[in-house]
Amino acid sequence: MERLVVAALALCALAPSARCATGSVAWCYHLPSCNDTTWPVIAPQYCNGTRQSPIDIVSASAKPDANLTAFTFHNFSRTSALQKIENTGKTVKVKLESGVRVSGGDLSEDYESLQFHLHWGNGSSVPGSEHTVNGKRYPMELHIVNLKSSHKGNITQALADPTGLAALGFFIEEMSGNATGQPASWRTLTSYLANITNSSDSVSVAPGISLDDLLDGVDRTKYYRYLGSLTTPTCNEAVVWTVFKESIKVSKDLIDLFSTTVRVSNGSSPYTINVYRNLQPAQPVTTQPASSSTSSTTCYSLGLMALSLALGRS
Ligand SMILES: *[C@@H]1O[C@H](CO)[C@@H](O)[C@H](O)[C@H]1NC(C)=O
Ligand SMILES: *[C@@H]1O[C@H](CO)[C@@H](O)[C@H](O)[C@H]1NC(C)=O
Ligand SMILES: *[C@@H]1O[C@H](CO)[C@@H](O)[C@H](O)[C@H]1NC(C)=O
Ligand SMILES: *[C@@H]1O[C@H](CO)[C@@H](O)[C@H](O)[C@H]1NC(C)=O
Ligand SMILES: *[C@@H]1O[C@H](CO)[C@@H](O)[C@H](O)[C@H]1NC(C)=O
Ligand SMILES: *[C@@H]1O[C@H](CO)[C@@H](O)[C@H](O)[C@H]1NC(C)=O
Ligand SMILES: *[C@@H]1O[C@H](CO)[C@@H](O)[C@H](O)[C@H]1NC(C)=O
Ligand SMILES: *[C@@H]1O[C@H](CO)[C@@H](O)[C@H](O)[C@H]1NC(C)=O
Ligand SMILES: *[C@@H]1O[C@H](CO)[C@@H](O)[C@H](O)[C@H]1NC(C)=O
Ligand SMILES: *[C@@H]1O[C@H](CO)[C@@H](O)[C@H](O)[C@H]1NC(C)=O
Ligand SMILES: [Zn+2]
């Protein structure tokens, strides 16, 4: 999950390894002086905490919790919801219009969806998701960042609340077969990358694609849940994490555009690659209980089979 204080980020980018104004720190993914192994030192509050993200999710250790019901996604179908796309130098971020929100899914109240952004490696063959599942790292991960409604847009207040933010994480995987430019929603989204090749470039997104279009094909009732943190400094432990089990399928050519189009600063700087934090210590994870109807049906039919075998023998 990308940091929220954009102005501070821009200032800090000019002075790597120096401590910046507004209480934030300069940080990076790739320089020895500020990469993620240094975050617990350069930002000890909170990157050196005890509920840090991302984590490896061990599916067999996820405890069943029947409270993890379906979400309601408000305005995810609005084709004007995506406002502006920006190259921050560390990610590609899309600002959402107000009125997009999420509720249900055992969240304590409504959360307003502020933005989504992405994490990636170096093309579809060098994966760069933040979370992993049973040790598997996916090519990319999309994070939708949502702020608890009762904080009324006050991010400072939300960051001081252990459940002030809700992050929705979606893995992105290569579509099978030889498709190119698919799905159309991702073709449209990635078509903007050429307009934001330099850091701090941004352009408006034309109406036409919705969040539902981008999340197409994912069963959003199946997910993992744990309490964690922002995955960039200052790593505030304020995030209710939801990581969906099914991945978004995107064709290889579109995945590859992220690591071959946007740059960390201007036209002579490197491409933005491997923008994810390393794994942090495990946390308790919950998920939906295994469907009891399926297993009881199986037991029942096995029972019937045993009964009929017994009857047949007598
Ligand atoms: C990160 O920085 C540390 C030193 O602070 C260095 O040992 C390590 O190799 C660096 N890792 C990467 C991936 O740059
Ligand atoms: C991080 O926390 C650990 C355990 O609380 C502590 O031993 C270590 O000194 C801390 N490191 C920094 C840089 O604050
Ligand atoms: C489910 O929610 C109920 C009511 O809020 C609560 O009492 C119970 O502890 C929750 N169960 C779990 C496993 O968290
Ligand atoms: C969707 O967004 C519009 C525009 O912000 C808002 O008027 C409307 O109430 C929202 N709908 C829902 C269901 O939240
Ligand atoms: C990223 O991938 C490109 C294309 O495969 C390759 O040329 C480049 O060396 C890779 N960069 C790193 C840092 O591995
Ligand atoms: C946000 O909340 C903090 C802490 O409660 C408060 O100090 C600050 O004034 C609030 N900011 C705004 C813009 O309301
Ligand atoms: C993909 O393309 C290769 C080479 O053109 C071909 O051999 C293969 O059958 C194609 N696979 C699919 C699923 O279309
Ligand atoms: C993106 O760049 C292309 C080519 O330079 C240009 O035609 C198009 O108008 C730009 N789109 C936006 C939204 O700025
Ligand atoms: C590009 O950025 C580098 C530092 O990142 C700077 O030295 C150089 O002057 C910049 N070039 C242009 C054309 O802006
Ligand atoms: C990016 O910066 C370079 C100079 O480093 C400039 O030539 C180019 O036009 C800029 N690209 C965009 C899309 O503004
Ligand atoms: Zn993120």
Side-chain angles (χ1 to χ4, degrees), residues 154-157:
N154 188 323
I155 289 165
T156 311
Q157 218 173 302

Side-chain angles (χ1 to χ4, degrees), residues 46-47 49-55 229 235 237 277 280-281 283:
Y46 305 88
C47 299
T50 54
R51 52 170 266 199
Q52 290 289 295
S53 297
I55 59 169
S229 73
C235 313
E237 297 184 329
R277 186 189 194 186
Q280 303 298 307
Q283 299 298 331

